[in-house]
Amino acid sequence: MARNTKRTQRGETSLSRERIIEASIALLDAGGEDGLTFRALSERLGTGAGAIYWHIANKSDLLTAACDAIVAPTMRAAVADAAPRAAIRAIGVGMFDAMDVHPWIGSALAQAPSQLPMVRIMEAIGRQVVALGVADAMRWHAGSALLHYILGVAGQNAANTRIARERNLVRGDFLDAVAAQWAALDGEAFAFTRSIAPQLRDHDDRLDFLAGIDVILDGVECARPRP
Amino acid sequence: MARNTKRTQRGETSLSRERIIEASIALLDAGGEDGLTFRALSERLGTGAGAIYWHIANKSDLLTAACDAIVAPTMRAAVADAAPRAAIRAIGVGMFDAMDVHPWIGSALAQAPSQLPMVRIMEAIGRQVVALGVADAMRWHAGSALLHYILGVAGQNAANTRIARERNLVRGDFLDAVAAQWAALDGEAFAFTRSIAPQLRDHDDRLDFLAGIDVILDGVECARPRP
DNA sequence: ACCTGAACACCGTTCAAGT
DNA sequence: ACCTGAACACCGTTCAAGT
């Protein structure tokens, strides 16, 4: 959209796509998804709201660009691993840790399917699935299952963080509140949910996330014949 | 929040939680997530914008309630199946078909973690995982993997539908556009993505979705020892 | 108990006008 | 080429006032 590759005389003070994205990430980290507004952004950058539109097409593009600025280096780092299974776990861990610092990327990814950040994750996973020696017919399904699983976790994490923030709760208190809510459900209709409510408090999100990736990888490696 | 269980004299014309939710679903189906505004809603219901707040706490609750009105009967129908693996597939298919008619439930689910609609899906899946005879230690991971996978697909479907609508594209043209976008990526950095771009056009979302569920179920059933 | 509708405090985006 | 900042067309939500 906007051409901005050319540096103007003063890279420090003048507006640029990079400075806008950098400031956007700071706002998103500090205030969640709602923290990013063109007014807050222009104030932080010491410029007018309209100026930003010279460098960026719209808010959706801005959010995607901010997300990509997190995802791109994360994927670059994860790919360094050697064995395919370890590399896939590294991709997962990399995403999980990035989400921990920048929870908003969960909703950013959900809003920008088939865009660069999502494609980067797909590319990284796909390569490792191929390296894993997965049969041709299974590749798409394996990659798609892993990708959607990661996106699902990312979305939930983002939402949980947002809600905890809105209610001014730290993680432990938030989980307690959810557990209490589940425990109060009808005993017959929600027997399973009630039975796992106590586990909510003590579970380790990160280990659970990795366990899910292992489940999918196991499924890919020992696919049984389908009816 | 609002007490509304008591019927007033004219169930037909007077405002009620059910009428509001029904109208909300109609607006969401017709115009996507952006279609639901308190102004459009009050116009459709022939009332003032403020009147709705007597029956519903806020927009977030309204969206969640609308989502639950879709999810609850879907889960009820899916649970009718007998064998656990078939039942889990039925839950998946039920959600997929519901998403096809009401794509916005994808983002509604993403915005309301640990709320009723999501709990219903978790409950339905959890029961079947137990019925499957999954070892105690594996239950949580199995249920969580299935749930997050379904939520991931739901979110992507919702976003794809939204974007296609925004650009006034039918599904085929939208997929062509994405495939063209992917094909134009750098050949070296995005070799995998480029290689699967042609498959985008002809793939069957529904079959892929079910294949993903099967991958996870296979992984659950033949878990291999972990390092 | 339930509804009205104007008002409030925001949004993203545009665009004539400046330099 | 790049920036300003007022203006536009919206939002969700509140609340005094009505019935």
Side-chain angles (χ1 to χ4, degrees), chain A residues 164 167-180 201:
Chain A
R167 301 188 190 159
N168 284 317
L169 293 174
V170 294
R171 180 188 147 81
D173 294 338
F174 172 69
L175 290 179
D176 283 344
V178 172
R201 175 70 209 239

Side-chain angles (χ1 to χ4, degrees), chain A residues 29-113:
Chain A
D29 287 348
E33 229 187 322
D34 294 343
L36 180 61
T37 70
F38 278 81
R39 279 163 182 83
L41 193 54
S42 60
E43 192 182 358
R44 178 178 256 266
L45 290 165
T47 181
I52 295 158
Y53 280 90
W54 176 257
H55 301 274
I56 252 106
N58 50 49
K59 187 174 181 178
S60 165
D61 272 25
L62 179 55
L63 190 62
T64 302
C67 182
D68 201 48
I70 309 293
V71 169
T74 302
M75 288 303 103
R76 223 175 293 131
V79 160
D81 257 277
R85 192 166 178 132
I88 290 175
R89 288 176 121 255
I91 292 166
V93 169
M95 281 302 297
F96 190 89
D97 292 342
M99 275 154 31
D100 212 47
V101 184
H102 316 282
W104 50 270
I105 66 175
S107 48
L109 284 169
Q111 281 169 54

Side-chain angles (χ1 to χ4, degrees), chain B residues 26-37:
Chain B
L27 285 173
L28 288 161
D29 287 348
E33 229 186 322
D34 294 342
L36 179 62
T37 71

Side-chain angles (χ1 to χ4, degrees), chain B residues 28 33 69 82 91 100 109 131 157 163 194 198:
Chain B
L28 288 161
E33 229 186 322
I91 292 165
D100 211 48
L109 285 168
N157 270 32
I163 292 167
R194 283 166 58 95

Side-chain angles (χ1 to χ4, degrees), chain A residues 123 127 188 193 218 222 226, chain B residues 123 127 193 218 222 226:
Chain A
E123 177 75 27
R127 280 171 186 244
E188 215 162 325
T193 302
D218 288 346
C222 66
R226 298 278 144 59
Chain B
E123 177 74 28
R127 280 171 186 245
T193 302
D218 288 345
C222 66
R226 299 279 144 60

Side-chain angles (χ1 to χ4, degrees), chain A:
Chain A
M1 314 284 132
R3 66 225 65 157
N4 69 305
T5 30
K6 247 166 257 168
R7 284 240 163 274
T8 36
Q9 63 261 30
R10 310 274 254 25
E12 274 297 317
T13 52
S14 76
L15 214 51
S16 69
R17 197 162 206 272
E18 295 87 63
R19 277 196 68 217
I20 294 172
I21 290 169
E22 192 186 354
S24 299
I25 291 172
L27 286 173
L28 287 161
D29 287 348
E33 229 187 322
D34 294 343
L36 180 61
T37 70
F38 278 81
R39 279 163 182 83
L41 193 54
S42 60
E43 192 182 358
R44 178 178 256 266
L45 290 165
T47 181
I52 295 158
Y53 280 90
W54 176 257
H55 301 274
I56 252 106
N58 50 49
K59 187 174 181 178
S60 165
D61 272 25
L62 179 55
L63 190 62
T64 302
C67 182
D68 201 48
I70 309 293
V71 169
T74 302
M75 288 303 103
R76 223 175 293 131
V79 160
D81 257 277
R85 192 166 178 132
I88 290 175
R89 288 176 121 255
I91 292 166
V93 169
M95 281 302 297
F96 190 89
D97 292 342
M99 275 154 31
D100 212 47
V101 184
H102 316 282
W104 50 270
I105 66 175
S107 48
L109 284 169
Q111 281 169 54
S114 73
Q115 290 309 111
L116 215 38
M118 233 214 53
V119 166
R120 284 191 209 278
I121 306 173
M122 187 176 69
E123 177 75 27
I125 291 173
R127 280 171 186 244
Q128 299 305 325
V129 167
V130 172
L132 210 56
V134 171
D136 216 65
M138 191 63 177
R139 276 181 200 166
W140 176 282
H141 295 149
S144 150
L146 285 165
L147 183 61
H148 284 121
Y149 170 71
I150 291 172
L151 293 175
V153 173
Q156 290 300 104
N157 270 32
N160 281 330
T161 307
R162 181 179 50 76
I163 292 168
R165 186 206 306 272
E166 276 169 11
R167 301 188 190 159
N168 284 317
L169 293 174
V170 294
R171 180 188 147 81
D173 294 338
F174 172 69
L175 290 179
D176 283 344
V178 172
Q181 199 180 309
W182 287 3
L185 289 167
D186 179 77
E188 215 162 325
F190 294 99
F192 176 80
T193 302
R194 284 165 58 94
S195 78
I196 58 160
Q199 293 182 53
L200 248 187
R201 175 70 209 239
D202 298 316
H203 82 140
D204 182 324
D205 266 341
R206 194 185 152 107
L207 287 181
D208 287 355
F209 174 66
L210 273 173
I213 288 186
D214 279 327
V215 166
I216 295 172
L217 287 173
D218 288 346
V220 169
E221 287 193 338
C222 66
R224 64 172 210 181
R226 298 278 144 59

